[in-house]
Amino acid sequence: MLDLKNAFGEVHHSFIPEVLKYHHIPRHIQTIIGNLYSNFYTSAITKSFKTPFIKVGRGVLQGDCLSPLTFNLCFNIFIRYISDPKSAQFGFSTPSLNPLHWIQFADEAAVITSLQNENKLLPNHSSRWFDWADMTIRVDKCS
């Protein structure tokens, strides 16, 4: 089981335009989403104080319907990476199923091997992608 630390907060804003291009999202939609995440600043305001603006370079916005989709498009790059032929050799199969070597729900992923000596190979392969994407795996929540 792989668990991302602060999953929605881990996505780099510079990663989002590349992901949109990769998934062939129409250019005008790329521009709209890109405008949401380029030069993004935030501030906290209460009755008694206001913070200066803080530049935000990571994380999808929270509380709108576009953010889960944006995160899933980013995470789908991992799913495609783990689905390459090198990884597809791992996992298990049954007569009625194609070989299965990962299961994913939102930001939770399980990588599956059928042989004990493969148990380290597939998670290490996954770890390389998370390092490349600069996303942190919560080792304490993985098993």
Side-chain angles (χ1 to χ4, degrees):
M1 299 297 294
L2 300 174
D3 185 77
L4 281 177
K5 176 185 173 190
N6 187 20
F8 280 67
E10 283 288 296
V11 176
H12 280 275
H13 292 178
S14 60
F15 190 43
I16 294 171
E18 299 306 316
V19 167
L20 298 174
K21 287 179 200 169
Y22 177 83
H23 288 291
H24 307 288
I25 303 299
R27 174 81 59 206
H28 67 284
I29 302 296
Q30 290 181 36
T31 301
I32 292 168
I33 295 171
N35 287 340
L36 290 172
Y37 290 102
S38 63
N39 296 316
F40 184 79
Y41 290 84
T42 190
S43 177
I45 301 172
T46 69
K47 287 183 180 183
S48 58
F49 73 91
K50 178 176 128 179
T51 66
F53 282 103
I54 303 163
K55 184 164 176 63
V56 179
R58 296 177 88 125
V60 294
L61 303 171
Q62 299 294 302
D64 64 60
C65 58
L66 183 60
S67 295
L69 177 60
T70 304
F71 174 80
N72 285 339
L73 287 171
C74 293
F75 203 76
N76 188 54
I77 304 292
F78 167 68
I79 300 305
R80 292 198 176 210
Y81 173 78
I82 201 81
S83 298
D84 78 348
K86 288 180 185 176
S87 299
Q89 66 185 331
F90 301 115
F92 69 93
S93 59
T94 66
S96 61
L97 294 174
N98 292 327
L100 179 65
H101 64 282
W102 61 268
I103 300 171
Q104 187 238 343
F105 178 76
D107 66 328
E108 308 292 334
V111 291
I112 303 163
T113 61
S114 59
L115 301 173
Q116 188 172 2
N117 65 349
E118 297 173 347
N119 285 348
K120 194 168 184 178
L121 298 174
L122 193 54
N124 284 348
H125 187 60
S126 302
S127 181
R128 283 190 291 278
W129 185 87
F130 288 109
D131 286 344
W132 169 80
D134 196 20
M135 294 183 175
T136 306
I137 297 173
R138 293 247 348 236
V139 177
D140 61 316
K141 291 182 74 179
C142 297
S143 58

